[in-house]
Amino acid sequence: MNIRPSLDQIGVGAGKKARLYRILHQNGLRNGTAIFLPYDHGLEHGPRDFFGNPESGDPRHVIRLALEGGFNGIALQVGLARKFYWDYAGEVPLVLKLNGKTDIASAIDPLSPVNTTVEEAVRLGADAVGYTLYVGSPAQERDFAQYLRVRADAERFGIPLIVWSYPRGAAIDDKGGKDSFYAVDYAARTASELGADLVKVNFPQPDKQSGVPEQYRGEFSSAEAIARVVKSANRTLLLVSGGEHAGDEAMLEKARQSMEAGATGLIFGRNVFQRGHDESLRLVAQLKEILAKYPS
Amino acid sequence: MNIRPSLDQIGVGAGKKARLYRILHQNGLRNGTAIFLPYDHGLEHGPRDFFGNPESGDPRHVIRLALEGGFNGIALQVGLARKFYWDYAGEVPLVLKLNGKTDIASAIDPLSPVNTTVEEAVRLGADAVGYTLYVGSPAQERDFAQYLRVRADAERFGIPLIVWSYPRGAAIDDKGGKDSFYAVDYAARTASELGADLVKVNFPQPDKQSGVPEQYRGEFSSAEAIARVVKSANRTLLLVSGGEHAGDEAMLEKARQSMEAGATGLIFGRNVFQRGHDESLRLVAQLKEILAKYPS
Amino acid sequence: MNIRPSLDQIGVGAGKKARLYRILHQNGLRNGTAIFLPYDHGLEHGPRDFFGNPESGDPRHVIRLALEGGFNGIALQVGLARKFYWDYAGEVPLVLKLNGKTDIASAIDPLSPVNTTVEEAVRLGADAVGYTLYVGSPAQERDFAQYLRVRADAERFGIPLIVWSYPRGAAIDDKGGKDSFYAVDYAARTASELGADLVKVNFPQPDKQSGVPEQYRGEFSSAEAIARVVKSANRTLLLVSGGEHAGDEAMLEKARQSMEAGATGLIFGRNVFQRGHDESLRLVAQLKEILAKYPS
Amino acid sequence: MNIRPSLDQIGVGAGKKARLYRILHQNGLRNGTAIFLPYDHGLEHGPRDFFGNPESGDPRHVIRLALEGGFNGIALQVGLARKFYWDYAGEVPLVLKLNGKTDIASAIDPLSPVNTTVEEAVRLGADAVGYTLYVGSPAQERDFAQYLRVRADAERFGIPLIVWSYPRGAAIDDKGGKDSFYAVDYAARTASELGADLVKVNFPQPDKQSGVPEQYRGEFSSAEAIARVVKSANRTLLLVSGGEHAGDEAMLEKARQSMEAGATGLIFGRNVFQRGHDESLRLVAQLKEILAKYPS
Amino acid sequence: MNIRPSLDQIGVGAGKKARLYRILHQNGLRNGTAIFLPYDHGLEHGPRDFFGNPESGDPRHVIRLALEGGFNGIALQVGLARKFYWDYAGEVPLVLKLNGKTDIASAIDPLSPVNTTVEEAVRLGADAVGYTLYVGSPAQERDFAQYLRVRADAERFGIPLIVWSYPRGAAIDDKGGKDSFYAVDYAARTASELGADLVKVNFPQPDKQSGVPEQYRGEFSSAEAIARVVKSANRTLLLVSGGEHAGDEAMLEKARQSMEAGATGLIFGRNVFQRGHDESLRLVAQLKEILAKYPS
């Protein structure tokens, strides 16, 4: 079992530490773990993600879910934050997602353009900001440029920066795809090398080996893979993404392996809100039972 | 034997001189030579570089190696510097690498985008900054533009600028490749013409002659080649890169020829950390025996 | 005996820590203590301070004294730093004094105007900057205004800020004078409250009680007084000033009591350079014997 | 014979006039003519230009040649200027070349990216700045944009701007090539229209007529051609480039025709430094004999 | 005899060195000494200074005097520089005086307000800038503030800064006056501490002892006094002011003692232009005979 880094060890100043303390020790289980509810699907995928469970299209519903479920934070785009967070300001930590894109056109050089600023996040009372970095994209130059400004502002304002570190682009597709152990491991490390405070990654799939570098062509269990990914992130706190709606037991097992590997927590969206209200809360309770075993 | 330029002769003001004095005369052998440990492979190649020796994936392990081995400096990307350098601040000089890229996608116009600033390097207590220039890349215009800003800031803050001067691009591939005497010689000169304080180059391979200009199509020993490269760098202090993990005797011979030619030192990463702890220190000791013969 | 705060405990980032580590652990006795040589008397008092020992008017002589005596740093105004530090760059840490004034006219509102910037200090390779704050002066508003800019820049560049915290003005004169326990204690606390990293104070004289607040009107030994002053400075490292040329045994006793009280070190100018070369080094050796007893 | 414009007639303010006076009347023959030594080949062509005469790779050798030969100025890139000009500051005028590129990759849209600023030229004590404009390149838009900034700054600082006005690109190749009378004439005029103070052109070859506009398809002697080019430059002082190493008599004849046509002088690099020391000085003496006949 | 510092020893970069080399080695006697002609009396005193020799009110007359006399530079306010320097641009170095004041009202807090910028000096082709600092004035705070900006710009543009270091104010009057050894010595040191490249001082009068600090109350010859002043200026090149029109032999003796003491040269205004043309040149010739004995 990896040791999850404590807030004393991750190179943050007082402001970031205070906000992370609030998120990790004064919300959720208050034990240093976290479960976040991301809710930016309306921009990333459009309302289609809400068709199965129409009330999930209502931001109030989802924010209340975050409150009832005792989430450590909810991630919103600026529009929903401006319209809905006032009502619940301070009741659940806000992660303002700074960039995002529609999935209407597919690009050969994926890039998630910034649509707000860290300053606006501070003004809105956010306790963290989120940035999607497309690792492997040919748009790396523009991506790093806007990321540099975001990171510098996050330092200036003492607000934690969560990087959605997502492998993307044709080269990723050719090298095992975006969920391969190789891709996820590289993405975690890239976020750490570039100064993220927390990193959100997909759960690695070590059997996706077609085209990956030889070091990744071996027998790795998913537990081994996620352990390596956590190590690659080193002092960057790691959050495992739920990804697409999947079977409960598979998801709980991913959560168990992640926490055992030293992850700080989970960030589950569709798996939570694409269910009815009670079923959602039941799943969240099961996830929190797992988190409860990994206090720090 | 070339004469290595002294710190009085290289056109630097008090700030750059103080920092170079610290690096070259108050660390390592304290004799004007240097051996640096670059550790940006997590971004440049991803965690695969750490698979052979898993502890090398842990920045603490590698920083401690730099301390135990008596290196003159360690080169890090901003994320690892922020997370790990505080613990060892001042114990070993920090070279903050200002740009970097993943190797996931291959580009026809290689460029290493900047992800931090010289000001942040100063704030972190770095004693030098590093910039990768891709000599020969079709992206020269953008490369020079971001390099210009970096160089101007390095002047403004009196911090030495080390240029990783790397031949890259299709034209380089057509003209003998990135390790040819032609390419390395041109790269060293380009860094000098553009105002680098130190330049990191690969060791030249004079037998790679396919497509190189006629002046380079002759019988050159590697000792002659590196001597010419050092002359091309003139008052830019020259560091020879270890490159990929190679046989010990070959590496030691490269080191000997480089120092004899007037290089200031070595910058060895994978050859050092892709070994077990004791074997690493043994190699470093051998390299330092060579450096010890070239005091200034 | 007070415990001197370590560099891990004083709320500084990597840059300030690296520079303090250099000053306190890689120069002088390398044991966490410090003795500084301030040499700004040419501006503050004019050349008359050099008449008794004419060679002390030559900055080269004094810088060499700092080197031979193994000082932890020398404090210079920008003009001397620009003209003389290059020759010795990096050999002894430079503290660039950012403000200063002549003593020709006496002011009812003493203020020490800034004549350079923190950025220039960084460019010159300084390891710390110095600022004179006139605690108690009616010019407090303008003093705090320029101090604020200095402190903000020192944070931005990660360079330690040493505050020469000097009680001054008619109100100070009426309340026991600039060396009273009251005045020195208040000055130490003011520097700490305003964010100094180190503070330079005069040694307190608890018998100067005329006009001081009642709390300071009691029987305090000088050892008690300096211990209280160090506590008032809390996590601001404290340096005790030598002041005017005085008898050796008195000075050594001040040094002993200061170190015993938890001071980090001494800052002795006239008591050092207003002697012949050998006599200076003899005194410094005696002072360092005292410092050697207080490693951290 | 054309009349060369005097410094009173070319629309420059006091700063540009003072610096041109210095170059043309206080250096070289002090008669209003000029011979410049350009030395940026290490960037433009790489060290191969120095293989025939290895000492020419040493900037000190070439600067000393400029001093011994009594040149009116030496043109350097910023790196060599920073490292070597201090030693000879003021002894020979410096022309800081502001842009440059390697010749490793060939571009369809040639552009010479800026790597320093006019302000840095002023700081280094340069008496003029140089800018390469690629007349005819598809990159004209970016070229004009960076040229505009350079010219505006040269105005602001009162420093003369020398435009290396070089025809380049596929359209030029299709219309007689870069040395055709057509191309050189257009380049000279373009520099004048765009506000250059001096322009450097190749010597026109009126027999290169394939594809040139009909006006240039006639019987022109080279003397007629260069006279027309000088007229096209009107009040922009014209310097004729030596180009590749060529036969002495041919070069001297080019020089004679140029001066007779009203050129202000010559700018000879490879023809000078690709010879042994004594032979270089002999050639320069011959060129200066020609210049001596054209005082102003 | 003091040794005058050479241009290699005074801590200046290439730009300042090039301009100083021009002033000291390519004008006047070209031997490292200098005689400057200051001509700002029209602002400082008004036209009354020109009544005795009316042609001295015509800037053309005085600039031509500087040319005929072979001065190393002429100091002008911006208006005269703009109106008259173009005609003679580059023929004699221009020192642009950046501040000045009328003497109509007497102030208790003398300050010489800035009326142009270093940038304008560069644009006008000046080789140095001049700034009057009123040492001892109660306006020290505003004086240092504008001086700081001037010095920073002079650094940025590589142009030498000559400080007219003038003791002024009631405190000076009370302590021996503006020409006392004490006042001149302090003024020279202040300029050096504050980073002047050259300093202009009055010749010290050691017999003015009323009210001066005790160190200055002794038997000093004027030769001893000026030697101490030159030492106080250390690496700041020292120019001795002619002051009010005085007897020739007294002036020549001042010049002799100053040069013997290690001064770099003289700055004589009224003593030069308040005479007829031929008499002026005769005096200048005599002064230059003295300078000729002190080459460097």
PDB file of all heavy atoms in Angstrom, chain C residues 156-169:
ATOM      1  N   ARG C 156       7.879  37.730  -3.988  1.00  0.00           N
ATOM      2  CA  ARG C 156       7.786  37.362  -5.401  1.00  0.00           C
ATOM      3  C   ARG C 156       9.074  36.708  -5.886  1.00  0.00           C
ATOM      4  O   ARG C 156       9.049  35.806  -6.727  1.00  0.00           O
ATOM      5  CB  ARG C 156       7.495  38.618  -6.227  1.00  0.00           C
ATOM      6  CG  ARG C 156       7.233  38.361  -7.667  1.00  0.00           C
ATOM      7  CD  ARG C 156       6.384  39.462  -8.275  1.00  0.00           C
ATOM      8  NE  ARG C 156       7.005  40.745  -8.260  1.00  0.00           N
ATOM      9  CZ  ARG C 156       7.673  41.279  -9.301  1.00  0.00           C
ATOM     10  NH1 ARG C 156       7.768  40.601 -10.431  1.00  0.00           N
ATOM     11  NH2 ARG C 156       8.201  42.471  -9.215  1.00  0.00           N
ATOM     12  N   PHE C 157      10.203  37.177  -5.370  1.00  0.00           N
ATOM     13  CA  PHE C 157      11.484  36.658  -5.832  1.00  0.00           C
ATOM     14  C   PHE C 157      12.090  35.640  -4.859  1.00  0.00           C
ATOM     15  O   PHE C 157      13.186  35.147  -5.090  1.00  0.00           O
ATOM     16  CB  PHE C 157      12.455  37.814  -6.075  1.00  0.00           C
ATOM     17  CG  PHE C 157      12.017  38.744  -7.161  1.00  0.00           C
ATOM     18  CD1 PHE C 157      11.875  40.106  -6.950  1.00  0.00           C
ATOM     19  CD2 PHE C 157      11.739  38.241  -8.431  1.00  0.00           C
ATOM     20  CE1 PHE C 157      11.464  40.959  -7.966  1.00  0.00           C
ATOM     21  CE2 PHE C 157      11.328  39.089  -9.459  1.00  0.00           C
ATOM     22  CZ  PHE C 157      11.187  40.442  -9.225  1.00  0.00           C
ATOM     23  N   GLY C 158      11.371  35.368  -3.770  1.00  0.00           N
ATOM     24  CA  GLY C 158      11.874  34.341  -2.848  1.00  0.00           C
ATOM     25  C   GLY C 158      13.199  34.703  -2.200  1.00  0.00           C
ATOM     26  O   GLY C 158      14.045  33.849  -1.979  1.00  0.00           O
ATOM     27  N   ILE C 159      13.373  35.975  -1.890  1.00  0.00           N
ATOM     28  CA  ILE C 159      14.636  36.415  -1.293  1.00  0.00           C
ATOM     29  C   ILE C 159      14.358  36.916   0.119  1.00  0.00           C
ATOM     30  O   ILE C 159      13.402  37.671   0.344  1.00  0.00           O
ATOM     31  CB  ILE C 159      15.306  37.493  -2.183  1.00  0.00           C
ATOM     32  CG1 ILE C 159      16.738  37.775  -1.728  1.00  0.00           C
ATOM     33  CG2 ILE C 159      14.515  38.780  -2.251  1.00  0.00           C
ATOM     34  CD1 ILE C 159      17.545  38.584  -2.745  1.00  0.00           C
ATOM     35  N   PRO C 160      15.144  36.468   1.102  1.00  0.00           N
ATOM     36  CA  PRO C 160      14.867  36.840   2.502  1.00  0.00           C
ATOM     37  C   PRO C 160      14.994  38.350   2.719  1.00  0.00           C
ATOM     38  O   PRO C 160      15.847  39.002   2.111  1.00  0.00           O
ATOM     39  CB  PRO C 160      15.957  36.097   3.289  1.00  0.00           C
ATOM     40  CG  PRO C 160      16.476  35.031   2.386  1.00  0.00           C
ATOM     41  CD  PRO C 160      16.284  35.554   0.996  1.00  0.00           C
ATOM     42  N   LEU C 161      14.146  38.837   3.574  1.00  0.00           N
ATOM     43  CA  LEU C 161      14.103  40.261   3.894  1.00  0.00           C
ATOM     44  C   LEU C 161      14.577  40.471   5.333  1.00  0.00           C
ATOM     45  O   LEU C 161      13.968  39.950   6.274  1.00  0.00           O
ATOM     46  CB  LEU C 161      12.667  40.765   3.730  1.00  0.00           C
ATOM     47  CG  LEU C 161      12.345  42.176   4.216  1.00  0.00           C
ATOM     48  CD1 LEU C 161      13.251  43.223   3.577  1.00  0.00           C
ATOM     49  CD2 LEU C 161      10.883  42.508   3.931  1.00  0.00           C
ATOM     50  N   ILE C 162      15.668  41.203   5.470  1.00  0.00           N
ATOM     51  CA  ILE C 162      16.190  41.545   6.794  1.00  0.00           C
ATOM     52  C   ILE C 162      15.757  42.970   7.109  1.00  0.00           C
ATOM     53  O   ILE C 162      16.071  43.887   6.343  1.00  0.00           O
ATOM     54  CB  ILE C 162      17.732  41.469   6.831  1.00  0.00           C
ATOM     55  CG1 ILE C 162      18.225  40.112   6.300  1.00  0.00           C
ATOM     56  CG2 ILE C 162      18.243  41.734   8.242  1.00  0.00           C
ATOM     57  CD1 ILE C 162      19.756  39.986   6.262  1.00  0.00           C
ATOM     58  N   VAL C 163      15.022  43.148   8.190  1.00  0.00           N
ATOM     59  CA  VAL C 163      14.607  44.496   8.569  1.00  0.00           C
ATOM     60  C   VAL C 163      15.536  45.045   9.654  1.00  0.00           C
ATOM     61  O   VAL C 163      15.692  44.434  10.705  1.00  0.00           O
ATOM     62  CB  VAL C 163      13.142  44.517   9.035  1.00  0.00           C
ATOM     63  CG1 VAL C 163      12.799  45.868   9.660  1.00  0.00           C
ATOM     64  CG2 VAL C 163      12.217  44.244   7.851  1.00  0.00           C
ATOM     65  N   TRP C 164      16.189  46.171   9.314  1.00  0.00           N
ATOM     66  CA  TRP C 164      16.924  46.938  10.299  1.00  0.00           C
ATOM     67  C   TRP C 164      15.831  47.681  11.090  1.00  0.00           C
ATOM     68  O   TRP C 164      15.312  48.694  10.613  1.00  0.00           O
ATOM     69  CB  TRP C 164      17.783  47.981   9.597  1.00  0.00           C
ATOM     70  CG  TRP C 164      19.186  47.690   9.193  1.00  0.00           C
ATOM     71  CD1 TRP C 164      20.283  48.418   9.540  1.00  0.00           C
ATOM     72  CD2 TRP C 164      19.686  46.678   8.304  1.00  0.00           C
ATOM     73  NE1 TRP C 164      21.422  47.902   8.936  1.00  0.00           N
ATOM     74  CE2 TRP C 164      21.082  46.832   8.189  1.00  0.00           C
ATOM     75  CE3 TRP C 164      19.078  45.605   7.604  1.00  0.00           C
ATOM     76  CZ2 TRP C 164      21.883  45.994   7.401  1.00  0.00           C
ATOM     77  CZ3 TRP C 164      19.883  44.781   6.820  1.00  0.00           C
ATOM     78  CH2 TRP C 164      21.259  44.967   6.730  1.00  0.00           C
ATOM     79  N   SER C 165      15.431  47.173  12.211  1.00  0.00           N
ATOM     80  CA  SER C 165      14.270  47.734  12.906  1.00  0.00           C
ATOM     81  C   SER C 165      14.758  48.707  13.968  1.00  0.00           C
ATOM     82  O   SER C 165      15.147  48.310  15.063  1.00  0.00           O
ATOM     83  CB  SER C 165      13.435  46.595  13.511  1.00  0.00           C
ATOM     84  OG  SER C 165      12.117  47.041  13.738  1.00  0.00           O
ATOM     85  N   TYR C 166      14.710  49.985  13.596  1.00  0.00           N
ATOM     86  CA  TYR C 166      15.350  51.017  14.401  1.00  0.00           C
ATOM     87  C   TYR C 166      14.330  51.971  14.994  1.00  0.00           C
ATOM     88  O   TYR C 166      13.647  52.696  14.255  1.00  0.00           O
ATOM     89  CB  TYR C 166      16.301  51.827  13.527  1.00  0.00           C
ATOM     90  CG  TYR C 166      17.621  51.168  13.231  1.00  0.00           C
ATOM     91  CD1 TYR C 166      18.496  51.749  12.319  1.00  0.00           C
ATOM     92  CD2 TYR C 166      18.008  49.980  13.852  1.00  0.00           C
ATOM     93  CE1 TYR C 166      19.724  51.176  12.037  1.00  0.00           C
ATOM     94  CE2 TYR C 166      19.236  49.399  13.575  1.00  0.00           C
ATOM     95  CZ  TYR C 166      20.090  49.992  12.666  1.00  0.00           C
ATOM     96  OH  TYR C 166      21.299  49.426  12.390  1.00  0.00           O
ATOM     97  N   PRO C 167      14.226  52.015  16.324  1.00  0.00           N
ATOM     98  CA  PRO C 167      13.373  53.023  16.951  1.00  0.00           C
ATOM     99  C   PRO C 167      13.936  54.413  16.639  1.00  0.00           C
ATOM    100  O   PRO C 167      15.145  54.626  16.758  1.00  0.00           O
ATOM    101  CB  PRO C 167      13.478  52.703  18.445  1.00  0.00           C
ATOM    102  CG  PRO C 167      13.977  51.278  18.507  1.00  0.00           C
ATOM    103  CD  PRO C 167      14.842  51.120  17.305  1.00  0.00           C
ATOM    104  N   ARG C 168      13.079  55.329  16.242  1.00  0.00           N
ATOM    105  CA  ARG C 168      13.526  56.679  15.897  1.00  0.00           C
ATOM    106  C   ARG C 168      12.400  57.698  16.097  1.00  0.00           C
ATOM    107  O   ARG C 168      11.223  57.335  16.078  1.00  0.00           O
ATOM    108  CB  ARG C 168      13.935  56.769  14.418  1.00  0.00           C
ATOM    109  CG  ARG C 168      15.279  56.266  14.054  1.00  0.00           C
ATOM    110  CD  ARG C 168      16.423  57.129  14.567  1.00  0.00           C
ATOM    111  NE  ARG C 168      17.695  56.616  14.055  1.00  0.00           N
ATOM    112  CZ  ARG C 168      18.283  55.485  14.461  1.00  0.00           C
ATOM    113  NH1 ARG C 168      17.724  54.742  15.403  1.00  0.00           N
ATOM    114  NH2 ARG C 168      19.446  55.106  13.945  1.00  0.00           N
ATOM    115  N   GLY C 169      12.813  58.944  16.257  1.00  0.00           N
ATOM    116  CA  GLY C 169      11.861  60.043  16.329  1.00  0.00           C
ATOM    117  C   GLY C 169      11.746  60.607  17.733  1.00  0.00           C
ATOM    118  O   GLY C 169      12.222  60.018  18.717  1.00  0.00           O
TER     119      GLY C 169
END
